[in-house]
Amino acid sequence: MAKVIAITNQKGGVGKTTTAINLGASLAANDLRVLLVDSDPQGNSTTGLGIEKNTESFTVYNALLGGLPIEQTIVKTECDGFDVVPADKNLVAANLDLVDLPDREYRLRQSLQPIRDRYDYILIDCPPALDLLTLNALVGADSVLIPIQCEFFALEGISQLIDTIDKIRESSSHALKIEGILLTMYDERTNLTRQVADDLREFFNKEVFSTVIPRSIRLAEAPSYGKPILMYDPRSRGAESYIKLAKEILENEQRNRQATQGAG
Protein backbone atom coordinates (compact mmCIF):
# COMPACT_ATOMS: atom_id res chain seq x y z
CA MET A 1 0.00 0.00 0.00
CA ALA A 2 1.30 3.43 -0.95
CA LYS A 3 2.32 5.84 1.75
CA VAL A 4 0.35 9.07 1.17
CA ILE A 5 2.15 12.34 1.99
CA ALA A 6 0.38 15.71 1.88
CA ILE A 7 2.77 18.58 1.10
CA THR A 8 1.20 21.61 2.69
CA ASN A 9 1.62 25.04 4.22
CA GLN A 10 -1.12 27.65 3.97
CA LYS A 11 1.55 30.28 3.33
CA GLY A 12 2.25 30.67 -0.39
CA GLY A 13 5.66 30.76 -2.05
CA VAL A 14 7.40 28.35 0.33
CA GLY A 15 8.30 25.67 -2.21
CA LYS A 16 5.37 23.23 -1.96
CA THR A 17 5.09 22.58 -5.70
CA THR A 18 8.87 22.55 -6.22
CA THR A 19 9.07 19.95 -3.46
CA ALA A 20 6.14 17.89 -4.78
CA ILE A 21 7.64 17.68 -8.28
CA ASN A 22 11.26 17.11 -7.30
CA LEU A 23 10.71 14.79 -4.35
CA GLY A 24 8.40 12.72 -6.60
CA ALA A 25 11.06 12.52 -9.32
CA SER A 26 13.79 11.66 -6.78
CA LEU A 27 11.70 8.85 -5.24
CA ALA A 28 10.96 7.52 -8.75
CA ALA A 29 14.72 7.59 -9.46
CA ASN A 30 15.02 5.10 -6.57
CA ASP A 31 12.93 2.61 -8.63
CA LEU A 32 9.77 3.42 -6.68
CA ARG A 33 6.34 3.95 -8.18
CA VAL A 34 5.14 7.46 -7.41
CA LEU A 35 1.88 9.33 -8.04
CA LEU A 36 1.59 13.09 -7.60
CA VAL A 37 -1.93 14.42 -7.06
CA ASP A 38 -2.14 18.10 -8.03
CA SER A 39 -4.73 19.46 -5.62
CA ASP A 40 -3.97 23.14 -6.21
CA PRO A 41 -6.32 25.04 -8.59
CA GLN A 42 -3.27 26.89 -9.97
CA GLY A 43 -2.17 23.54 -11.41
CA ASN A 44 1.54 24.38 -11.13
CA SER A 45 2.56 20.76 -10.52
CA THR A 46 0.73 19.84 -13.72
CA THR A 47 2.49 22.41 -15.93
CA GLY A 48 5.79 21.95 -14.05
CA LEU A 49 5.80 18.34 -15.25
CA GLY A 50 5.19 19.36 -18.86
CA ILE A 51 1.50 18.38 -18.93
CA GLU A 52 -0.79 20.69 -20.87
CA LYS A 53 -4.01 21.78 -19.25
CA ASN A 54 -6.86 21.32 -21.67
CA THR A 55 -10.60 21.03 -21.39
CA GLU A 56 -10.72 17.51 -22.88
CA SER A 57 -8.61 15.80 -20.22
CA PHE A 58 -9.89 14.60 -16.87
CA THR A 59 -8.49 16.08 -13.66
CA VAL A 60 -8.65 15.60 -9.91
CA TYR A 61 -11.89 17.65 -10.01
CA ASN A 62 -13.63 14.84 -11.96
CA ALA A 63 -12.51 12.32 -9.35
CA LEU A 64 -13.55 14.44 -6.37
CA LEU A 65 -16.89 15.68 -7.70
CA GLY A 66 -17.71 13.86 -10.92
CA GLY A 67 -17.61 10.34 -9.53
CA LEU A 68 -14.92 9.38 -12.05
CA PRO A 69 -12.50 6.63 -10.91
CA ILE A 70 -9.21 8.40 -10.23
CA GLU A 71 -7.26 5.92 -12.41
CA GLN A 72 -8.98 7.49 -15.44
CA THR A 73 -7.36 10.85 -14.60
CA ILE A 74 -3.77 9.57 -14.26
CA VAL A 75 -1.19 10.86 -16.75
CA LYS A 76 2.35 9.50 -17.18
CA THR A 77 5.25 11.96 -16.94
CA GLU A 78 8.61 11.79 -18.75
CA CYS A 79 10.13 10.22 -15.61
CA ASP A 80 9.83 6.43 -15.43
CA GLY A 81 7.57 5.35 -12.58
CA PHE A 82 6.27 8.88 -11.95
CA ASP A 83 2.59 9.64 -12.73
CA VAL A 84 0.41 12.67 -12.03
CA VAL A 85 -3.26 13.42 -11.49
CA PRO A 86 -3.53 16.87 -13.09
CA ALA A 87 -5.44 19.96 -11.97
CA ASP A 88 -6.82 22.97 -13.79
CA LYS A 89 -8.80 26.12 -12.99
CA ASN A 90 -12.06 24.12 -12.58
CA LEU A 91 -10.72 23.07 -9.19
CA VAL A 92 -11.41 26.63 -7.95
CA ALA A 93 -15.10 25.66 -7.75
CA ALA A 94 -14.38 22.53 -5.70
CA ASN A 95 -14.44 24.31 -2.35
CA LEU A 96 -17.96 25.57 -3.04
CA ASP A 97 -19.14 22.33 -4.65
CA LEU A 98 -17.90 20.22 -1.72
CA VAL A 99 -19.57 22.26 1.04
CA ASP A 100 -22.99 20.57 0.99
CA LEU A 101 -21.83 17.05 0.16
CA PRO A 102 -21.90 14.21 2.71
CA ASP A 103 -18.43 13.07 3.90
CA ARG A 104 -17.02 16.07 2.05
CA GLU A 105 -13.58 15.82 3.70
CA TYR A 106 -13.23 12.10 2.82
CA ARG A 107 -13.64 12.47 -0.96
CA LEU A 108 -9.95 12.29 -1.87
CA ARG A 109 -9.27 9.49 0.59
CA GLN A 110 -12.08 7.41 -0.95
CA SER A 111 -10.86 8.19 -4.49
CA LEU A 112 -7.28 7.07 -3.73
CA GLN A 113 -8.21 3.84 -1.97
CA PRO A 114 -8.58 1.63 -5.11
CA ILE A 115 -5.15 2.62 -6.48
CA ARG A 116 -3.03 2.65 -3.33
CA ASP A 117 -1.63 -0.81 -4.06
CA ARG A 118 -0.27 0.38 -7.43
CA TYR A 119 2.20 2.87 -5.95
CA ASP A 120 4.89 3.08 -3.29
CA TYR A 121 4.28 6.78 -2.61
CA ILE A 122 1.40 9.15 -3.34
CA LEU A 123 2.24 12.84 -2.90
CA ILE A 124 -0.46 15.51 -2.71
CA ASP A 125 0.42 19.10 -3.66
CA CYS A 126 -1.96 21.26 -1.60
CA PRO A 127 -3.19 24.82 -2.28
CA PRO A 128 -1.82 27.67 -0.11
CA ALA A 129 -4.91 27.72 2.14
CA LEU A 130 -6.52 25.69 4.91
CA ASP A 131 -9.60 25.04 2.76
CA LEU A 132 -11.64 21.95 1.89
CA LEU A 133 -9.09 20.82 -0.71
CA THR A 134 -6.32 20.89 1.91
CA LEU A 135 -8.63 19.23 4.46
CA ASN A 136 -9.30 16.43 1.93
CA ALA A 137 -5.55 16.01 1.45
CA LEU A 138 -4.86 15.88 5.21
CA VAL A 139 -7.65 13.37 5.87
CA GLY A 140 -6.46 11.26 2.93
CA ALA A 141 -2.79 11.34 3.95
CA ASP A 142 -0.70 9.20 6.28
CA SER A 143 1.70 12.04 6.97
CA VAL A 144 2.34 15.73 6.32
CA LEU A 145 5.47 17.32 4.87
CA ILE A 146 5.65 21.06 5.68
CA PRO A 147 7.99 23.21 3.57
CA ILE A 148 9.02 26.41 5.37
CA GLN A 149 10.95 29.27 3.82
CA CYS A 150 13.76 30.55 6.02
CA GLU A 151 12.40 34.06 6.54
CA PHE A 152 11.12 36.28 9.33
CA PHE A 153 7.49 35.10 9.16
CA ALA A 154 8.37 31.39 8.90
CA LEU A 155 6.67 30.36 12.13
CA GLU A 156 3.58 32.45 11.42
CA GLY A 157 0.70 30.18 10.41
CA ILE A 158 2.50 26.94 11.27
CA SER A 159 0.76 26.83 14.65
CA GLN A 160 -2.58 27.10 12.82
CA LEU A 161 -1.62 24.16 10.56
CA ILE A 162 -0.50 22.09 13.57
CA ASP A 163 -3.85 22.88 15.27
CA THR A 164 -5.69 21.64 12.17
CA ILE A 165 -3.62 18.44 12.16
CA ASP A 166 -4.45 17.90 15.86
CA LYS A 167 -8.17 18.43 15.19
CA ILE A 168 -8.10 15.87 12.34
CA ARG A 169 -6.37 13.38 14.65
CA GLU A 170 -9.07 13.87 17.29
CA SER A 171 -12.20 14.12 15.14
CA SER A 172 -11.52 11.24 12.75
CA SER A 173 -9.29 9.02 14.94
CA HIS A 174 -6.77 9.43 12.12
CA ALA A 175 -3.14 8.97 13.19
CA LEU A 176 -1.83 11.71 10.91
CA LYS A 177 1.93 12.00 11.40
CA ILE A 178 4.33 14.83 10.65
CA GLU A 179 6.66 13.46 7.97
CA GLY A 180 8.96 16.39 8.54
CA ILE A 181 9.50 20.12 8.27
CA LEU A 182 11.61 21.08 5.26
CA LEU A 183 13.69 24.25 5.22
CA THR A 184 13.49 25.73 1.70
CA MET A 185 15.15 28.64 -0.15
CA TYR A 186 18.03 28.22 2.26
CA ASP A 187 20.85 30.75 1.94
CA GLU A 188 23.59 29.99 4.45
CA ARG A 189 25.27 33.34 3.71
CA THR A 190 22.62 35.30 5.59
CA ASN A 191 22.34 35.60 9.36
CA LEU A 192 18.54 35.59 9.12
CA THR A 193 18.45 32.19 7.39
CA ARG A 194 20.73 30.67 10.02
CA GLN A 195 18.74 32.26 12.86
CA VAL A 196 15.38 31.04 11.50
CA ALA A 197 16.80 27.55 10.92
CA ASP A 198 18.14 27.44 14.51
CA ASP A 199 14.77 28.64 15.90
CA LEU A 200 12.84 26.03 13.89
CA ARG A 201 15.17 23.20 14.95
CA GLU A 202 14.92 24.29 18.58
CA PHE A 203 11.12 24.52 18.40
CA PHE A 204 10.37 21.39 16.34
CA ASN A 205 13.46 19.37 17.24
CA LYS A 206 13.76 16.09 15.27
CA GLU A 207 10.72 16.89 13.12
CA VAL A 208 12.93 19.17 10.99
CA PHE A 209 14.68 17.33 8.15
CA SER A 210 18.47 17.50 8.22
CA THR A 211 18.32 18.07 4.44
CA VAL A 212 17.80 21.71 3.42
CA ILE A 213 16.81 22.98 -0.02
CA PRO A 214 19.05 25.84 -1.21
CA ARG A 215 17.89 28.99 -2.92
CA SER A 216 18.56 28.09 -6.56
CA ILE A 217 17.99 29.70 -9.95
CA ARG A 218 18.15 26.27 -11.64
CA LEU A 219 15.33 24.98 -9.40
CA ALA A 220 13.26 28.04 -10.31
CA GLU A 221 13.94 27.59 -14.06
CA ALA A 222 13.14 23.86 -14.33
CA PRO A 223 9.27 24.11 -14.24
CA SER A 224 9.25 26.48 -17.23
CA TYR A 225 10.81 23.61 -19.22
CA GLY A 226 8.22 21.15 -17.83
CA LYS A 227 10.94 19.09 -16.14
CA PRO A 228 11.96 18.12 -12.61
CA ILE A 229 15.42 19.39 -11.67
CA LEU A 230 16.77 15.82 -12.03
CA MET A 231 16.06 15.98 -15.76
CA TYR A 232 16.81 19.67 -16.24
CA ASP A 233 20.14 19.89 -14.40
CA PRO A 234 20.99 16.66 -12.54
CA ARG A 235 24.34 18.01 -11.30
CA SER A 236 22.90 21.13 -9.67
CA ARG A 237 22.75 21.70 -5.91
CA GLY A 238 18.95 21.64 -6.12
CA ALA A 239 18.95 18.16 -7.68
CA GLU A 240 21.42 16.89 -5.09
CA SER A 241 19.27 18.29 -2.26
CA TYR A 242 16.08 16.56 -3.41
CA ILE A 243 17.91 13.26 -3.93
CA LYS A 244 19.21 13.66 -0.37
CA LEU A 245 15.68 14.43 0.91
CA ALA A 246 14.25 11.31 -0.78
CA LYS A 247 17.02 9.24 0.81
CA GLU A 248 16.32 10.76 4.24
CA ILE A 249 12.58 9.97 3.94
CA LEU A 250 13.31 6.37 2.88
CA GLU A 251 15.79 5.90 5.75
CA ASN A 252 13.28 7.33 8.28
CA GLU A 253 10.64 4.96 6.90
CA GLN A 254 12.95 1.96 7.29
CA ARG A 255 13.89 3.04 10.84
CA ASN A 256 10.23 3.42 11.83
CA ARG A 257 9.38 0.03 10.33
CA GLN A 258 12.19 -1.67 12.27
CA ALA A 259 11.11 0.10 15.48
CA THR A 260 7.51 -1.08 14.97
CA GLN A 261 8.64 -4.66 14.30
CA GLY A 262 10.90 -4.53 17.35
CA ALA A 263 8.03 -3.30 19.52
CA GLY A 264 5.78 -6.05 18.14
Side-chain angles (χ1 to χ4, degrees):
M1 289 285 277
K3 180 173 189 179
V4 184
I5 303 176
I7 300 171
T8 186
N9 184 336
Q10 69 267 37
K11 196 171 184 309
V14 296
K16 283 189 298 294
T17 298
T18 300
T19 297
I21 290 171
N22 293 301
L23 174 58
S26 298
L27 288 167
N30 278 280
D31 292 328
L32 296 167
R33 297 161 303 161
V34 183
L35 176 68
L36 171 54
V37 179
D38 191 350
S39 198
D40 184 346
Q42 294 174 83
N44 290 339
S45 278
T46 302
T47 49
L49 284 165
I51 290 148
E52 281 187 42
K53 298 177 204 165
N54 59 62
T55 48
E56 287 84 53
S57 62
F58 294 124
T59 68
V60 68
Y61 180 88
N62 302 101
L64 283 176
L65 289 140
L68 190 76
I70 202 163
E71 57 260 40
Q72 292 184 35
T73 69
I74 294 171
V75 179
K76 291 193 179 304
T77 73
E78 283 184 39
C79 303
D80 283 345
F82 189 21
D83 299 340
V84 65
V85 172
D88 62 15
K89 62 182 186 296
N90 289 328
L91 203 53
V92 172
N95 279 302
L96 290 172
D97 296 343
L98 283 165
V99 167
D100 296 322
L101 296 179
D103 296 333
R104 60 188 184 180
E105 68 269 36
Y106 292 93
R107 287 289 175 126
L108 186 56
R109 185 176 181 171
Q110 290 161 354
S111 293
L112 291 174
Q113 202 57 41
I115 60 161
R116 281 188 68 164
D117 59 349
R118 297 189 196 177
Y119 293 95
D120 298 297
Y121 281 89
I122 296 175
L123 308 179
I124 308 170
D125 183 18
C126 299
L130 282 176
D131 57 12
L132 274 171
L133 287 170
T134 298
L135 187 59
N136 261 271
L138 294 175
V139 170
D142 300 308
S143 63
V144 186
L145 191 157
I146 308 168
I148 297 185
Q149 188 179 348
C150 292
E151 58 166 26
F152 183 68
F153 295 112
L155 281 166
E156 196 176 88
I158 289 298
S159 56
Q160 197 182 345
L161 177 57
I162 301 293
D163 283 349
T164 304
I165 290 168
D166 286 340
K167 280 174 186 158
I168 288 168
R169 284 170 178 157
E170 288 165 21
S171 64
S172 60
S173 304
H174 178 34
L176 185 58
K177 295 185 174 71
I178 305 254
E179 187 69 31
I181 290 162
L182 179 66
L183 305 182
T184 62
M185 301 173 206
Y186 192 91
D187 185 351
E188 70 275 358
R189 296 169 301 178
T190 69
N191 290 332
L192 179 62
T193 292
R194 291 197 299 272
Q195 184 61 57
V196 170
D198 289 346
D199 289 349
L200 287 165
R201 290 191 193 282
E202 191 179 331
F203 192 78
F204 289 107
N205 205 344
K206 290 180 179 173
E207 289 182 332
V208 180
F209 287 113
S210 60
T211 304
V212 298
I213 307 302
R215 191 174 283 281
S216 159
I217 291 168
R218 304 300 274 169
L219 266 178
E221 286 173 350
S224 63
Y225 291 87
K227 294 178 187 295
I229 191 68
L230 266 182
M231 294 180 75
Y232 179 63
D233 188 352
R235 294 178 183 275
S236 65
R237 286 177 67 214
E240 286 172 10
S241 299
Y242 277 108
I243 289 165
K244 198 174 164 194
L245 175 64
K247 193 177 174 193
E248 187 174 349
I249 286 172
L250 293 171
E251 284 172 355
N252 290 345
E253 185 73 18
Q254 191 173 7
R255 204 174 299 121
N256 291 340
R257 202 175 290 129
Q258 285 168 348
T260 307
Q261 287 167 353

